[in-house]
Amino acid sequence: MLCGDFHESQMVQTGGAVNIDASGGAVAAFLDYIYGKETCIETLETTDDQVELLKLASSYGLPNLAARLASEWQASLDSASALKLLPHIWTHSEFSDLADSCEQQILDDFALCVESADFLNLTAGQLGRILQRNELHVAREETVLQGVFKWVGASKAERTCHLELLLQNIDFPSMSVANLKHLSRFAQSAGAAGPGLSMDVNGALRLHRKRQADGSSEKPAKKTLFEALVPGFRR
């Protein structure tokens, strides 16, 4: 690493320090593995260390270590670790199965995930993919909208441009009339996302009025095979 074509070799040749972007715990476990010691994610103290060790294994061409760590993650994955892990493995095709498992964990515990600080580290693409999935499990669609606004609000300057597209994944007719009226007022000051939001909200309000006139409280059909097999498990 210090003598070949790696970036670290270039640092040595120019007299600079060799920096490895990882914690001491992750680097120690990485070196232990190289020198023959058994390494697994349970030996690391924090989830951050575990994620960093996985990144080191991928960056420095140790596929066996990366595969072992990914397998261990699969066996112990929960929504908290899924939120931490997904942004780091998103661009690595060898972790596509693990990324899919992370998405599924977030889908199953979306309301809990929205309250986590790590939810804000998702990219627009990652959040959009999750919102598009019909098996997203929430008791109220308002929770999904809360997640979108919270994510955008964490960095308005960079993320407001994504708001219009993310809002297209909201099932507005599932929301209460009172909240739709609040959204109708908000749309007037929502910038570029306002016109589309206003149209969606007004359409949902019209559907509410129609259902009330028809004496029906049924939600609009947005069913998948999964939802049909599991009654009540719907967005």
Side-chain angles (χ1 to χ4, degrees), residues 222-233:
K222 188 181 178 182
K223 301 188 71 174
T224 64
L225 176 61
F226 179 86
E227 294 165 341
L229 292 173
V230 187
F233 194 84

Side-chain angles (χ1 to χ4, degrees), residues 26-140:
V27 173
F30 181 64
L31 291 173
D32 283 344
Y33 175 82
I34 291 174
Y35 285 98
K37 186 176 179 180
E38 188 70 20
T39 300
C40 61
I41 60 173
E42 285 82 2
T43 63
L44 296 169
E45 293 183 0
T46 69
T47 303
D48 287 335
D49 286 343
Q50 296 168 1
V51 171
E52 288 174 355
L53 178 58
L54 183 61
K55 289 169 62 180
L56 287 174
S58 179
S59 298
Y60 289 100
L62 297 175
N64 290 338
L65 176 58
R68 182 195 301 176
L69 294 171
S71 177
E72 293 177 11
W73 273 104
Q74 287 274 22
S76 60
L77 201 62
D78 58 20
S79 58
S81 56
L83 276 176
K84 261 186 199 306
L85 189 57
L86 184 59
H88 297 291
I89 63 174
W90 182 255
T91 58
H92 297 278
S93 59
E94 66 269 32
F95 300 136
S96 59
D97 289 343
L98 182 55
D100 186 66
S101 296
C102 288
E103 283 189 358
Q104 193 59 57
Q105 287 289 334
I106 297 170
L107 288 166
D108 290 344
D109 289 323
F110 188 81
L112 182 63
C113 289
V114 167
E115 300 303 321
S116 170
D118 290 316
F119 178 81
L120 305 178
N121 295 328
L122 295 175
T123 67
Q126 291 160 6
L127 180 56
R129 273 181 55 86
I130 290 166
L131 297 182
Q132 287 171 6
R133 301 274 292 268
N134 281 333
E135 63 266 42
L136 176 58
H137 186 194
V138 288
R140 302 170 68 244

Side-chain angles (χ1 to χ4, degrees), residues 112-189:
L112 182 63
C113 289
V114 167
E115 300 303 321
S116 170
D118 290 316
F119 178 81
L120 305 178
N121 295 328
L122 295 175
T123 67
Q126 291 160 6
L127 180 56
R129 273 181 55 86
I130 290 166
L131 297 182
Q132 287 171 6
R133 301 274 292 268
N134 281 333
E135 63 266 42
L136 176 58
H137 186 194
V138 288
R140 302 170 68 244
E141 194 69 13
E142 281 84 348
T143 302
V144 184
L145 185 65
Q146 176 194 0
V148 170
F149 283 140
K150 185 174 182 179
W151 182 86
V152 171
S155 184
K156 285 186 177 181
E158 292 80 18
R159 295 181 175 181
T160 298
C161 60
H162 301 294
L163 179 59
E164 186 173 5
L165 286 176
L166 291 174
L167 287 176
Q168 292 178 16
N169 297 300
I170 303 298
D171 184 16
F172 289 103
S174 295
M175 297 177 60
S176 71
V177 171
N179 284 329
L180 287 171
K181 289 180 177 178
H182 283 301
L183 277 175
S184 181
R185 292 190 290 271
F186 168 78
Q188 299 173 18
S189 59

